[in-house]
Amino acid sequence: NAGVTQTPKFRVLKTGQSMTLLCAQDMNHEYMYWYRQDPGMGLRLIHYSVGEGTTAKGEVPDGYNVSRLKKQNFLLGLESAAPSQTSVYFCASRRSDGAYEQYFGPGTRLTVT
Amino acid sequence: DQQVKQNSPSLSVQEGRISILNCDYTNSMFDYFLWYKKYPAEGPTFLISISSIKDKNEDGRFTVFLNKSAKHLSLHIVPSQPGDSAVYFCAASALGGGADGLTFGKGTHLIIQP
C-alpha cells in the first residue's frame, strides 16, 4: 500500500503558466481533499470531493480548479499561476463511514516567480 | 477569524518529561477533534482523535483531553522522546465528521531536549 501519493514533489512556475497536481490513493477512500500550507499557517482547504465526478469548494478555492474522474485520483489545476499561489500543497483522503481521520500525501512544493 | 487556535508557536521539553500542547476553538459546531504530527518535508500524520461525547482518549504515550465548556483541548505526551520533536497541528471537524474538510490550527513546534 502506497497510501496517498502526489506528483510532482517540486515545481517552479512563472506567473501566468498553468499546471496540474496529481493526487492518487490506493485505500479505496471515497473522500479526497486538497489543502495548502503557507509559512506560519495551518493547512487551509482548497477543494474537496465526496466521490467520483463530484467536487466542492473549500475555504480558499479562488484560482484553482479540480477534477475527480476516477475514484482513486484527484487533480488540482492552476490555470494562470500567481505568486500568491506559492505554497506547499497537500492532498488527503478518508473513508466515508465512521472514521474521520484524513490520510495525507507528502506534499508538493510550488514556487511561482 | 481563526476558529482553531494554537497559541504557543513553540514548546521546549526535556526528554522523559511530559509535553502538553494546547488548542482552543470557537465554533460550537465542532464535534470531532484530531491531532496531527508533521516532520519537515513530509505530510501530516494522524496521531489521535476525540469525539465531543468523550472527555479523554488515550493511545499509548498520547492522551487527548477535551473540555467542551471551555472549548479547549490538550494533547499530553508522556514520556517525551526525541522522535516526538515535530510540529503538532490541532484540527476540528463539524457535523459528525462531515465530508467538508478539517479546520486546522497554526501548529506548535515541539522540541524535545536531550
Side-chain angles (χ1 to χ4, degrees), chain B residues 15-26:
Chain B
E15 182 179 353
R17 306 294 284 266
I18 183 170
S19 296
I20 300 176
L21 293 91
N22 293 304
C23 177
D24 298 293
Y25 62 96
T26 57

Side-chain angles (χ1 to χ4, degrees), chain A residues 4-89:
Chain A
V4 180
T5 57
Q6 293 182 231
T7 310
K9 288 187 166 45
F10 304 93
R11 185 73 187 266
V12 179
L13 283 181
K14 293 191 172 154
T15 298
Q17 287 184 320
S18 63
M19 79 162 295
T20 300
L21 283 68
L22 170 64
C23 175
Q25 53 95 4
D26 61 2
M27 297 175 282
N28 202 34
H29 287 170
E30 285 292 333
Y31 299 166
M32 295 187 74
Y33 305 85
W34 276 107
Y35 293 88
R36 62 178 285 175
Q37 186 193 12
D38 300 303
M41 301 284 289
L43 282 73
R44 291 183 293 168
L45 183 67
I46 305 171
H47 285 281
Y48 65 98
S49 168
V50 299
E52 190 176 314
T54 71
T55 63
K57 293 179 180 180
E59 180 188 353
V60 289
D62 294 342
Y64 305 96
N65 56 75
V66 287
S67 64
R68 183 112 180 258
L69 300 179
K70 292 183 180 180
K71 184 177 182 179
Q72 63 268 32
N73 295 339
F74 195 26
L75 279 63
L76 178 71
L78 286 74
E79 287 185 349
S80 179
S84 60
Q85 294 179 303
T86 293
S87 190
V88 181
Y89 292 85

